[in-house]
Amino acid sequence: MDSVERPTWAPGDIDLSRPSIARVYDYWLGGAHNFAVDRAVADKTLADAPVIKEVVLNHRAFLRRAVRYLLDQGVRQFLDLGSGIPTVGNVHEIAQATDPTARVVYVDVDPVAVAHSRAILTGNDLVTVLQRDVRNAESVLGAPEVRGLLDFDRPIGVLMVALLHFVPDDEDPQGIVAAYRDAIPAGSYLAISHVGYEEGDWDPAWDRATGTYNRGVTQLVWRRGHEVEALFKGFDLVEPGVARLPLWHPESPDDVGEDAARFVSFGAVGRKS
């Protein structure tokens, strides 16, 4: 199967018989960079916790709105941390549709995501992919791929979308954010989306959903709104501050459903002054 059905975007050293979390996400997002083995894992997870797809789609929609907001503020270079496969609604397509000279560095620790990304992005000299653990900011920021493409004398949009809820407290998420904050110039921006809830919001159905996700995908850390806000130390929050994802700069009233005020994820953007 491997030699017959392998598409051009799937590098030869990637085992297509094993599921990849990056390709599972691609499938949930409606992308085409996945295989039957990935879809099987994705569908099994959704059978137990169908709401997961809605959450994933909302984080991607927030990414799109945040990038467009930053473009409106004049930002033309982006550092996308924990990017996965740059598939449906990716950063460079959004940015380069506004300005073909916009630059993007994608960073992910998953070798499958990085290998697929490099194959997809061949020929775009203003976009690069770096395989690094984003928790090691020094390693990321010092990489030739980052220093060679991004100008640290001009504002940079740092994107941590659906990333920090995979970082437990004992790995110091605030310290990780601070390391990137200290490296970027004034006028730069940080965008974060994060699963979370407030007192009284929790639905018991989420116990099962979380268990299914933790077993089938990876461990998830839930945080409250004030904990997400604490990640923005050193940044001035853009209105409306930390908000439920559907309520952060919705593109139309149709994007705001009846459950928007209790949606189990937060999003915010901050500017470094």
Side-chain angles (χ1 to χ4, degrees), residues 86 108 120 154:
D108 206 287
I120 294 167
R154 297 171 51 234

Side-chain angles (χ1 to χ4, degrees), residues 27-165:
Y27 174 59
W28 282 338
L29 291 168
H33 298 96
N34 54 78
F35 302 102
V37 65
D38 307 304
R39 296 189 286 273
V41 170
D43 289 339
K44 184 177 186 303
T45 303
L46 291 182
D48 286 340
V51 72
I52 287 175
K53 185 172 182 178
E54 180 185 2
V55 173
V56 169
L57 290 173
N58 267 274
H59 281 268
R60 181 50 63 111
F62 169 80
L63 172 67
R64 179 180 65 248
R65 299 196 303 273
V67 170
R68 287 176 177 166
Y69 176 85
L70 299 190
L71 289 165
D72 288 344
Q73 309 313 306
V75 176
R76 292 297 184 270
Q77 45 183 2
F78 299 86
L79 180 61
D80 187 359
L81 301 172
S83 56
I85 298 173
T87 178
V88 178
N90 62 62
V91 175
H92 73 276
E93 287 185 352
I94 298 168
Q96 292 180 346
T98 294
D99 185 342
T101 68
R103 297 166 179 248
V104 180
V105 177
Y106 292 110
V107 185
D108 206 287
V109 72
D110 181 356
V112 174
V114 170
H116 285 308
S117 299
R118 286 175 176 158
I120 294 167
L121 296 170
T122 299
N124 191 332
D125 294 336
L126 297 180
V127 184
T128 192
V129 184
L130 173 66
Q131 185 178 349
R132 289 286 194 283
D133 188 333
V134 300
R135 293 170 297 183
N136 188 340
E138 182 178 358
S139 174
V140 172
L141 294 167
E145 294 90 338
V146 173
R147 291 291 167 176
L149 194 63
L150 303 184
D151 180 356
F152 278 74
D153 291 325
R154 297 171 51 234
I156 297 172
V158 177
L159 310 172
M160 297 184 175
V161 174
L163 169 67
L164 293 172
H165 48 229

Side-chain angles (χ1 to χ4, degrees), residues 141 158 174 176-185 190 231-235 272:
L141 294 167
V158 177
Q174 289 192 38
I176 293 169
V177 174
Y180 289 99
R181 177 200 65 212
D182 293 346
I184 56 179
L190 169 67
L231 297 168
F232 283 90
K233 184 178 180 180
F235 292 89
K272 181 178 177 180

